[in-house]
Amino acid sequence: MTADVSSDRDAYNYRHSRLRHLVFNLRQTLGDGGARPGAVAPDFTLPCVGGGRYHLHDEDRRLPVMLRFASFT
Amino acid sequence: MLTHQEHPGPAAESYATFEEKRRDAQRYQTAEAIRWTVAIDDIEGSIHQAYGGTAHPAYLIGTDGRIAFTNLWGSAPVLDAAIDALERQGGSGIVEGGRNDRLHLLAAFTDGWRALQRGGPRSLTDLMLAAPGSPMLLWLGRRLRPPLTLRSTRLPSAARRPLGLVAALLAIAVARRAACRSSSRWRGG
């Protein structure tokens, strides 16, 4: 139990959803969390479902993008 | 973009390998009938954390590559209005004040139960311990889903006020519980 808690405490891939995770989301919402409006969106190139890769700041892209983060659970 | 497991459980454990995450990304796209691109963040959640690391934020990015609008709780009517505003503005620049900070818990209320079911029993018990009573609200919300969230227009004021009150009460309960825990830890309890 102790080992699980100590390794789980600050891990991104935690094993248990805790109150502190809910509080973090609340604080980010009520504070100024997340990337700022007007700032350049952090770039990325990532693999996609079905194959291929997606590059956010692709020079050929001519349309706005809605970027939504989600969890399977 | 698929992030970490928000509510891990025996049926959907936190990711140990990228292949596990890729598998869940496919399952998620199928389960939610998603027709657009689903990107898969790395195991460390590098991109998710670069964008703040919160549960389910949404970012509208203009043709200039800059963030036009953000809503940390992904409210469909709010995002719909932002998209319309960005189109009217030619596709770039800040719209709708750049950010909506309201606690839009309605989608979590109506769709959260589905997420807990995917995780299994531990997802449910962990949430019960963190926010007592919330799983029962999510169970109720699942049954109220169609009239509440399957829409792109805002609810009338008469419906928004009681829902806003519920959201505020939940937020206060979570904050008070966190404060009690912090206080007892300081006292050595």
Side-chain angles (χ1 to χ4, degrees):
Chain A
M1 175 68 83
T2 302
D4 179 61
V5 171
S6 65
S7 63
D8 190 57
R9 182 168 295 278
D10 298 310
Y12 177 73
N13 293 299
Y14 48 78
R15 286 197 69 243
H16 292 270
S17 176
R18 305 287 192 200
L19 176 62
R20 62 177 175 273
H21 302 122
L22 299 181
V23 171
F24 170 75
N25 286 314
L26 206 57
R27 281 185 177 154
Q28 291 286 76
T29 302
L30 300 177
D32 220 6
R36 304 289 179 94
V40 174
D43 196 15
F44 59 85
T45 302
L46 290 174
C48 304
V49 172
R53 297 176 74 81
Y54 181 85
H55 177 206
L56 180 65
H57 291 313
D58 188 330
E59 289 177 355
D60 295 331
R61 184 172 63 80
R62 294 288 179 263
L63 295 173
V65 171
M66 176 63 74
L67 177 60
R68 178 70 195 273
F69 294 84
S71 168
F72 182 65
T73 53
Chain B
M1 183 182 303
L2 192 76
T3 67
H4 59 179
Q5 299 284 19
E6 196 67 29
H7 298 281
E13 289 286 3
S14 53
Y15 302 117
T17 68
F18 184 77
E19 282 312 307
E20 290 174 0
K21 201 168 185 178
R22 185 196 296 272
R23 177 205 62 202
D24 268 3
Q26 175 68 68
R27 290 166 68 190
Y28 186 69
Q29 186 176 47
T30 302
E32 299 293 324
I34 294 172
R35 298 189 302 273
W36 49 88
T37 300
V38 176
I40 312 161
D41 199 5
D42 61 21
I43 283 290
E44 296 81 16
S46 303
I47 306 305
H48 182 206
Q49 298 193 70
Y51 280 86
T54 51
H56 28 67
Y59 289 89
L60 183 57
I61 300 165
T63 54
D64 57 357
R66 293 181 178 272
I67 294 168
F69 182 80
T70 178
N71 176 227
L72 294 191
W73 292 83
S75 166
V78 167
L79 294 172
D80 199 54
I83 290 169
D84 285 345
L86 190 62
E87 281 181 341
R88 289 194 300 271
Q89 202 167 279
S92 63
I94 292 175
V95 294
E96 302 282 291
R99 181 185 174 107
N100 183 298
D101 285 333
R102 289 185 181 170
L103 209 60
H104 296 279
L105 290 179
L106 190 55
F109 173 60
T110 59
D111 293 290
W113 184 255
R114 198 159 72 236
L116 296 182
Q117 282 185 308
R118 289 188 187 128
R122 194 173 80 235
S123 301
L124 193 66
T125 53
D126 281 352
L127 184 61
M128 179 64 84
L129 289 171
S134 60
M136 285 174 279
L137 281 178
L138 298 185
W139 178 86
L140 178 64
R142 176 65 176 158
R143 278 135 187 86
L144 295 174
R145 185 171 183 260
L148 288 180
T149 57
L150 297 183
R151 58 186 170 82
S152 62
T153 54
R154 300 192 74 184
L155 284 171
S157 303
R160 285 206 306 273
R161 286 194 200 104
L163 289 171
L165 181 61
V166 170
L169 290 173
L170 266 176
I172 290 168
V174 168
R176 286 185 64 181
R177 186 171 169 80
C180 285
R181 281 219 180 155
S182 176
S183 172
S184 67
R185 198 176 296 134
W186 184 80
R187 286 198 304 269

